[in-house]
Amino acid sequence: MDMELLSTCSRCHSSYADQTPKVLSCTHIFCLVCITNAQHGRNITCPDCKAITPLTKEGINALRTDHTATKLAVQLKKQKEVEAAFLCPSHQSQSKKVELFCSSLECMKPVCLLCSMTLHKSHTLHEIGTAFGSNRDSVLDQVETGKALLSGIDKKAEEMKNQ
């Protein structure tokens, strides 16, 4: 199953990293906002299967919170942040990965292919793997830091899956 589906509300698509996931008696899970919108007096009608979940006097807050969904959403959010570090700053929304390094003195930064054909057309470009030069150790340290972060995220996700 897609981890993204497990970590977001199926009604409003909010991440459970930002919204509290609550479990109805039918075992469907929705964010607190959507469950509040589905409340009718002392009952909640499940937006998916229309089953009725009666509320106790404590109300919606007494419904069980799905902490696993919250943890998963937080880990996916961190993973996306790490992955974003390898995307072109000018084209992150298009998910363009950096593949080249502009070694022109005014730039000295990684760029995607689109940037290489437009903003860096007249600059000196190298394949990212061969462009380290004097910055090799610094770049390798950053890569190792990124790998360590991804490894930690993978371990956390595996732990959550085994709970």
Side-chain angles (χ1 to χ4, degrees), residues 99-104 111 123-132:
E99 297 182 40
L100 301 168
F101 187 84
C102 180
S103 61
S104 296
V111 296
H123 296 181
T124 305
L125 301 169
H126 305 278
E127 284 186 47
I128 198 83
T130 61
F132 294 137

Side-chain angles (χ1 to χ4, degrees), residues 140-161:
L140 288 175
D141 286 345
Q142 291 177 20
V143 168
E144 288 305 313
T145 301
K147 284 181 180 178
L149 285 170
L150 283 173
S151 175
I153 290 169
D154 289 342
K155 286 179 186 174
K156 200 67 148 165
E158 190 64 33
E159 288 173 13
M160 289 172 25
K161 200 167 38 168

Side-chain angles (χ1 to χ4, degrees), residues 101-115:
F101 187 84
C102 180
S103 61
S104 296
L105 291 176
E106 64 270 18
C107 292
M108 296 297 290
K109 63 181 177 183
V111 296
C112 70
L113 290 175
L114 183 59
C115 283

Side-chain angles (χ1 to χ4, degrees), residues 36-73:
T36 301
N37 291 337
Q39 181 180 0
H40 302 287
R42 309 270 317 143
N43 294 313
I44 296 172
T45 303
C46 176
D48 279 355
C49 69
K50 307 301 181 212
I52 303 294
T53 297
L55 294 173
T56 63
K57 63 182 175 182
E58 290 84 19
I60 290 175
N61 290 330
L63 293 174
R64 186 172 66 85
T65 298
D66 188 338
H67 295 289
T68 301
T70 300
K71 289 177 185 176
L72 177 62

